[in-house]
Amino acid sequence: MSVWTVAGYKPYELGIFKQNDPAVFFIKKALEKELLRLLDEGLEWLLISGQLGVECWAAEVLFQLKEEFPHVKLAVLTPFVQQQENWKEETRHYYEAILAKADFVDSISKEPYKSPAQFRNKNQLFLRKAAGLLAIYDDEKPGSPQYLWDMARAFQEKHPFEIRQITFYDLQFITEEEQLKETDWD
């Protein structure tokens, strides 16, 4: 079974504070391009923890791709229960809509947040369950995806595990590519 996990920045780490920020469109385009490649290679499950930002945007893209690839499934394994408890109401509704469309939802720890060890446990489980990691991550800008990124690189040294990275340069290229498509040359 081909299972991949996705990691990336939270919205505020990218300076994104609204769902309709134009940058989200370009990030989703980059994710779509890579997910299509993975689907062509046999992707069956996408595994996320439900983190806001790149993970949830990848889920949205996957839902759109399900029209063409109905076999692909989304699993949301949160690091602990009630992950969304302290989020704003609008954000909770957005997150819960993603959970409602997911094919599988569970929490790794059956307790509310207690310690960073719950995130470490989630990362270790994801690396054991997935064949690879698709990450929007740039070594020049550390942030929340750095922990899983570093663990994945170490894991890859001892296990067959593929890592695909989308950098800020890649995002800039996609942005320019998409803007060129919109240019009216008449």
Side-chain angles (χ1 to χ4, degrees), residues 9-123:
Y9 298 99
K10 295 177 181 173
Y12 69 85
E13 293 176 303
L14 297 169
I16 297 172
F17 300 98
K18 294 180 180 174
Q19 276 291 80
N20 62 354
D21 187 303
V24 175
F25 172 80
F26 299 114
I27 291 167
K28 286 181 179 181
K29 281 293 181 188
L31 288 165
E32 178 183 18
K33 188 174 181 181
E34 289 301 320
L35 288 173
L36 281 169
R37 188 173 295 148
L38 289 171
L39 284 162
D40 285 342
E41 296 169 11
L43 175 68
E44 296 175 63
W45 282 89
L46 188 65
L47 177 60
I48 66 169
S49 68
Q51 180 181 43
L52 296 173
V54 169
E55 288 188 26
C56 286
W57 296 328
E60 287 184 70
V61 171
L62 191 74
F63 296 146
Q64 292 170 341
L65 293 173
K66 273 183 157 238
E67 293 175 19
E68 188 178 343
F69 301 90
H71 72 280
V72 70
K73 297 187 179 351
L74 176 70
V76 183
L77 291 176
T78 64
F80 46 86
V81 296
Q82 300 165 343
Q83 174 171 253
Q84 73 280 21
E85 186 176 48
N86 296 321
W87 297 353
K88 293 178 188 173
E89 186 177 349
E90 180 182 333
T91 305
R92 267 198 321 269
H93 289 309
Y94 165 74
Y95 171 75
E96 288 163 1
I98 288 173
L99 294 184
K101 289 183 178 179
D103 298 284
F104 182 81
V105 178
D106 202 357
S107 296
I108 296 164
S109 168
K110 303 305 181 196
E111 301 181 79
Y113 178 77
K114 290 205 187 279
S115 78
Q118 290 166 304
F119 291 106
R120 198 169 35 257
N121 292 342
K122 182 268 303 178
N123 289 345

